[in-house]
Amino acid sequence: MISPGARRRQRAQRLLTAAAVGAAVAVGAQGGTQPDWKAVEPEALRHFQAVVRFDSTAKERPLAEYVKKVLDDNGVPAQILFSDPDRPNVLARLKGSGRKRPLLIMGHTDTVTVDRSKWHFPPFSATLDGGYIYGRGTIDDKDNLTAGLLTMILLKRLNVPLDRDVVFLAEAGEEGASRIGAGYMVNEHFPEIEAEYCLAEGGDIVRENGAAKYAEVETVEKFPNGIELVAHGIAGHGSIPLKSNAIAHLGAAVGRIGEWRPDIKLNETTATYFRKLATLAPPDQARYYRDVVSPDPKVARAADDWLYENEPRHSSMLRTSVSPNIIQGGYRSNVIPSEAKATLDVRMVPDENRETFLEQVKKIVNDPAIDVRYTGNGQTGGERIIPAVARLDSEVFKTVEASVTKVYNVPTLPSMSTGATDMQRLRSKGVQCVGIGAAIDVEDQARGFGMHSDQERLLESELYRFVRLNWEIVTSLAARK
Ligand SMILES: [Zn+2]
């Protein structure tokens, strides 16, 4: 049964929503077509809470249907496309004049799993408390999903004339099953999502002590390319130790790999990132960021030693990284096994050469009893892909930078993600993608509220700013000039 209080609240909510829809069509005071942001906020909150309340952990259909309905109800015809009916994608398009090539906006509907016992507020409650909205997916990736959704319906409602089509893709399966999401769309429906530029997750606005400090905008990602070491030896009785013991050989090789840090390899994005970060950081930290881009390898290496110990993500951004993460071998304490295997998580910088790199690993392993080979499980499926990096002098990067300045008044740093997102699929087809995200407190990671953490949250005020950022970027790139 519904209580009178709840009914009153529902009525108030309905009135508020009606007011929001009416007010949002107003033309901005500046003369340009601008939404009335105060009126848009309750609508943004309503959709954001609604999408967070779907438990879309590897079962995206109900959320996909919600997204489609919102688009349809707002006059933006949307399609459901899938290879797995329980895990569909939503696609919508607003037509432009065709003067420029399309812009694609992406947001993934799935989330990583939750351990409910770790959550103070239930993970799919979207509880608003102390200015934060709590829930799985609030910063990965239902912020991008909601901002993209709002941008589409506002473009339609305000009837913004477009120079290029704006395509919206709410894709399933980003968290470990992109073959049914972005992979499926790229393989089976590429003409419908083909674009000059795309916006997706992968960046954020770094907020510290309650203030936005700078934006990290992802322009490039590393490529996962797993390598395995398989040691072969003679099997035998455990009571008679053998020099050829596969586990002993493998252990020594893994030890050498663990000690090894491949050479520093900077690119336009990472060199700019560290240079700019040096201008924003306190002097004692800034020195390491400056030194690490030094042409003197000794200076760079010393700074890298500090980063490896204190800021491992930054150390990984400098190079192709190698981390031994699985080790398998043996089955009885009294049997010397004939084989043992280690799996290395290798994340390559975009201009790494696979063959040359494998030779380097073989040199470090330096043991003829150990086979060194690619697992073939990398995101790239083993083939060499030349990704379309969003260059820093490109229209898309410059537009994001200008929009960040306008909405947050902070500098923009280009960044290279050490992990992989769905953008990789698009970039491999020549689409220049940039990764953006809402403002997140740097302090939140240590408090256990980061992406994929035990809990997750987003500031309500930052949801609204992010919707504005999205609008700003999309209209700057696509609205008729
Ligand atoms: Zn994500």
Side-chain angles (χ1 to χ4, degrees), residues 108 140-141 174-175 201 452:
H108 66 83
D140 180 14
D141 184 31
E174 195 276 338
E175 306 287 0
E201 64 177 339
H452 298 207

Side-chain angles (χ1 to χ4, degrees), residues 224-266:
N225 264 305
I227 288 178
E228 58 191 19
L229 314 180
V230 184
H232 302 280
I234 299 160
H237 197 286
S239 65
I240 306 165
L242 294 175
K243 209 169 166 12
S244 73
N245 185 310
I247 287 182
H249 279 251
L250 184 72
V254 168
R256 287 192 288 275
I257 291 287
E259 290 293 311
W260 178 49
R261 264 179 295 155
D263 290 344
I264 293 175
K265 259 192 183 175
L266 293 162

Side-chain angles (χ1 to χ4, degrees), residues 322-364:
V322 183
S323 179
N325 293 352
I326 305 175
I327 194 154
Q328 295 157 293
Y331 54 98
R332 278 183 69 99
S333 66
N334 63 354
V335 174
I336 300 172
S338 60
E339 200 179 288
K341 188 167 99 173
T343 308
L344 315 178
D345 187 357
V346 177
R347 305 293 178 126
M348 290 188 170
V349 291
D351 52 353
E352 191 67 74
N353 181 296
R354 286 177 99 238
E355 289 68 41
T356 318
F357 190 79
L358 193 66
E359 288 311 309
Q360 279 181 277
V361 176
K362 283 180 186 167
K363 254 197 207 119
I364 300 293

Side-chain angles (χ1 to χ4, degrees), residues 8 34 36 42 55 62-63 135 147 218 234 242 256 277 313 321 341 380-381 387 396 418 426 445 451 473 480:
R8 251 198 320 278
Q34 276 285 334
D36 175 352
D55 174 358
L63 173 53
E218 199 221 77
I234 299 160
L242 294 175
R256 287 192 288 275
L277 195 58
R313 182 177 80 100
S321 65
K341 188 167 99 173
T380 60
V396 66
T418 54
L426 278 302
Q445 187 68 43
M451 287 177 197
I473 297 170
R480 190 195 300 152

Side-chain angles (χ1 to χ4, degrees), residues 148-476:
L149 183 65
L150 261 291
T151 296
M152 292 300 277
I153 60 187
L154 290 172
L155 285 172
K156 177 71 187 177
R157 192 178 297 160
L158 274 67
N159 210 5
V160 178
L162 300 171
D163 269 347
R164 55 172 106 230
D165 290 6
V166 178
V167 182
F168 176 65
L169 173 63
E171 83 274 24
E174 195 276 338
E175 306 287 0
S178 76
R179 76 201 130 70
I180 57 133
Y184 167 74
M185 294 303 294
V186 165
N187 293 333
E188 306 297 327
H189 294 278
F190 188 64
E192 294 147 78
I193 58 167
E194 190 169 9
E196 182 170 18
Y197 305 127
C198 90
L199 299 175
E201 64 177 339
D204 64 356
I205 311 289
V206 177
R207 207 167 167 274
E208 201 174 1
N209 297 320
K213 286 279 187 282
Y214 57 90
E216 276 195 31
V217 171
E218 199 221 77
T219 57
V220 60
E221 287 174 7
K222 284 183 156 184
F223 279 74
N225 264 305
I227 288 178
E228 58 191 19
L229 314 180
V230 184
H232 302 280
I234 299 160
H237 197 286
S239 65
I240 306 165
L242 294 175
K243 209 169 166 12
S244 73
N245 185 310
I247 287 182
H249 279 251
L250 184 72
V254 168
R256 287 192 288 275
I257 291 287
E259 290 293 311
W260 178 49
R261 264 179 295 155
D263 290 344
I264 293 175
K265 259 192 183 175
L266 293 162
N267 53 45
E268 185 195 27
T269 290
T270 49
T272 308
Y273 172 84
F274 284 108
R275 268 189 214 110
K276 281 196 165 186
L277 195 58
T279 67
L280 300 169
D284 54 328
Q285 257 167 292
R287 142 173 116 81
Y288 298 110
Y289 306 141
R290 249 192 327 269
D291 285 356
V292 90
V293 295
S294 163
D296 180 345
K298 269 210 204 89
V299 174
R301 189 70 188 191
D304 174 35
D305 286 342
W306 185 87
L307 292 177
Y308 185 46
E309 188 137 348
N310 298 285
E311 297 176 2
R313 182 177 80 100
H314 281 151
S315 180
S316 179
M317 278 172 69
L318 296 170
R319 57 169 53 79
T320 292
S321 65
V322 183
S323 179
N325 293 352
I326 305 175
I327 194 154
Q328 295 157 293
Y331 54 98
R332 278 183 69 99
S333 66
N334 63 354
V335 174
I336 300 172
S338 60
E339 200 179 288
K341 188 167 99 173
T343 308
L344 315 178
D345 187 357
V346 177
R347 305 293 178 126
M348 290 188 170
V349 291
D351 52 353
E352 191 67 74
N353 181 296
R354 286 177 99 238
E355 289 68 41
T356 318
F357 190 79
L358 193 66
E359 288 311 309
Q360 279 181 277
V361 176
K362 283 180 186 167
K363 254 197 207 119
I364 300 293
V365 167
N366 190 26
D367 186 337
I370 300 178
D371 293 337
V372 180
R373 61 193 182 213
Y374 283 108
T375 58
N377 294 336
Q379 194 109 347
T380 60
E383 85 255 38
R384 179 97 184 110
I385 286 174
I386 311 295
V389 173
R391 292 193 52 87
L392 307 191
D393 59 2
S394 64
E395 180 189 17
V396 66
F397 186 79
K398 284 183 159 176
T399 302
V400 171
E401 192 170 28
S403 304
V404 165
T405 306
K406 190 168 171 187
V407 177
Y408 295 87
N409 196 27
V410 296
T412 295
L413 277 58
S415 74
M416 177 176 74
S417 174
T418 54
T421 72
D422 280 345
M423 283 188 279
Q424 204 145 103
R425 305 259 187 187
L426 278 302
R427 285 185 177 131
S428 71
K429 294 290 243 178
V431 183
Q432 291 189 64
C433 296
V434 291
I436 55 173
I440 298 172
D441 293 320
V442 282
E443 299 88 355
D444 256 12
Q445 187 68 43
R447 291 183 190 136
F449 293 109
M451 287 177 197
H452 298 207
S453 276
D454 281 346
Q455 301 187 74
E456 205 176 322
R457 67 180 183 183
L458 173 65
L459 276 160
E460 181 193 359
S461 55
E462 293 301 348
L463 168 68
Y464 305 143
R465 272 218 279 193
F466 186 54
V467 172
R468 280 189 56 200
L469 176 68
N470 215 278
W471 169 268
E472 198 59 46
I473 297 170
V474 173
T475 50
S476 303

